Amino acid sequence: MIYLATPYSHRDPAVKQARFEAVNKIAADLMRAGEHVFSPISHTHPIALAGDLPGGWDYWEAYDRVMLAACDTLIVLMLPGWIESTGVCAEIKIARETGMIIEYMEPSE
């Protein structure tokens, strides 16, 4: 299974929404190609909004670690801000520590 990481947090809600929509499109493309995909933003953004939950790594770290453990590949969607993203950097670090395959994808792919 693929864990599809992308930056999410931003002070501008429109940027967060755009990131959510971009990763959903890539997740759908991968799924259409027959891949099994977990996208933490796709899966938790609606839940966070409905439940008024925090959106940052501090809150979601334990959950994301469980999901990373269930995956064998990490794909980093390189949206603007991915290098500075606390969550994406942590996900890459965890993937390296556990020997996961790591791939980087341009948004236009």
Side-chain angles (χ1 to χ4, degrees):
M1 183 160 47
I2 293 169
Y3 184 106
L4 182 58
T6 192
Y8 174 66
S9 297
H10 198 276
R11 66 183 173 281
D12 183 348
V15 172
K16 286 173 72 169
Q17 184 63 30
R19 289 172 171 175
F20 170 70
E21 291 171 11
V23 76
N24 287 341
K25 181 184 180 321
I26 297 299
D29 290 346
L30 289 167
M31 293 171 88
R32 189 176 301 106
E35 300 291 350
H36 298 287
V37 178
F38 173 75
S39 165
I41 303 309
S42 300
H43 290 90
T44 63
H45 172 79
I47 295 167
L49 290 178
D52 194 30
L53 299 174
W57 175 252
D58 289 345
Y59 182 81
W60 293 100
E61 177 181 2
Y63 180 82
D64 289 347
R65 282 182 176 276
V66 169
M67 299 311 292
L68 276 160
C71 297
D72 55 16
T73 302
L74 171 69
I75 295 179
V76 177
L77 180 59
M78 298 185 305
L79 294 176
W82 76 272
I83 293 173
E84 301 83 20
S85 169
T86 300
V88 172
C89 289
E91 290 159 334
I92 292 169
K93 182 176 186 245
I94 293 164
R96 284 185 179 142
E97 289 170 353
T98 60
M100 289 177 70
I101 297 164
I102 303 173
E103 299 176 6
Y104 297 86
M105 179 183 285
E106 293 286 344
S108 60
E109 290 181 33

